[in-house]
Amino acid sequence: MRLLNIKTLELEFFFSYIPPYAILSHTWGEDEVTLQDLGRSDLDQKRGWKKIVKFCQTVAKLFPEPLEYVWVDTCCIDKTSSAELSESINSMFRWYQMSQVCYALLEDVSYTGQGSVGSDFESSRWFTRGWTLQELIAPHTVEFFDQQWTYIGDKLQLARRVSRRTGIDEGTLLSGDCTSSSVAQKMSWAAERQTTRQEDMAYCLLGLFDISMTMLYGEGEKAFIRLQEEILKEYDDNSIFAWNSTAVPESITTVGVLATHPSFFKTSADIEPHPSQGYDRCVQGCAE
């Protein structure tokens, strides 16, 4: 795992022992910094680098216990390596979970620092992206900042508003434990979110289901089918079939038993886990 040293602003690689670190959650924009950009003479001019530097400065200033490292998805992964990218995506949920704190930067929100933040909080693009779903749930502590790095509040303080905006119950939001949520419920949380790459709509959900998969960019909607096939192997929960097939466009003449996108689970938020009756009878018979 690569971490960025707050003082030197240089990457360091760690294997067995991972030191405490803060982690950034944000939406990607233009001029982000990749691992290959580090060391460039014009690095200071890149908007993405200014974001990273300000993140490091904010962590050093506000976090009560001194931290030496941070993790940022843009520059701490070598995305030119398909093997490393695949490993990183499969580890992402755990990395956010292990962080001391997650700073969520809402770059389209402006807050004066006094009173309650306005409705632009809920309308932030951050709440519409696929990858930020796990970045909201996995960390124990999530602290929100506006475009100028003004502190807005944390996940606990804003739990009610965040819950209403995302459809995720407050208990899950604050505990980070979604094991009791049904497959359909988890899918519904992603129903109105988007990713730049179609395949990422499946890959960004791996951590929520504790599933590992190989990354096959170019497979399109088949990635989401593969995800559900893996879920069926690990979970006895028929709520995976509780999606709205009437939302399928009329131009599609053949509809399978598995949905092709989380959006078809939009109305499934209240569906509880539904184990198969055969599984229940087996468990009862074995117990007897």
Side-chain angles (χ1 to χ4, degrees), residues 3 25 34 66 88 95 100 111 117 140 171 180 182 185 196 200 223 226 242 262 264:
L3 293 174
S25 176
T34 67
S88 298
W95 288 349
Q100 299 297 301
Y111 178 53
V117 63
H140 181 266
S180 62
S182 72
Q185 284 174 323
T196 302
D200 283 337
R226 277 204 302 130
F264 296 116

Side-chain angles (χ1 to χ4, degrees), residues 7 11 26 91 155 175 191 193 202 233 255 263 270:
K7 295 181 180 179
L11 289 177
H26 66 121
S91 304
K155 187 163 62 170
S175 69
R193 292 175 179 261
K233 295 175 184 177
V255 179
S263 59
D270 295 328

Side-chain angles (χ1 to χ4, degrees), residues 1 3 18-25 55 59 63 65 67 69-72 91-104 134-143 155:
M1 181 183 190
L3 293 174
I18 308 298
Y21 60 90
I23 202 164
L24 177 65
S25 176
F55 170 49
V59 170
F63 196 71
E65 300 177 12
L67 290 176
Y69 298 97
V70 298
W71 188 89
V72 184
S91 304
M92 201 80 71
F93 189 92
R94 179 168 51 86
W95 288 349
Y96 275 87
Q97 198 172 45
M98 289 168 49
S99 67
Q100 299 297 301
V101 64
C102 174
Y103 281 8
Q134 66 176 0
E135 295 165 12
L136 170 65
I137 294 175
H140 181 266
T141 303
V142 178
E143 300 187 352
K155 187 163 62 170

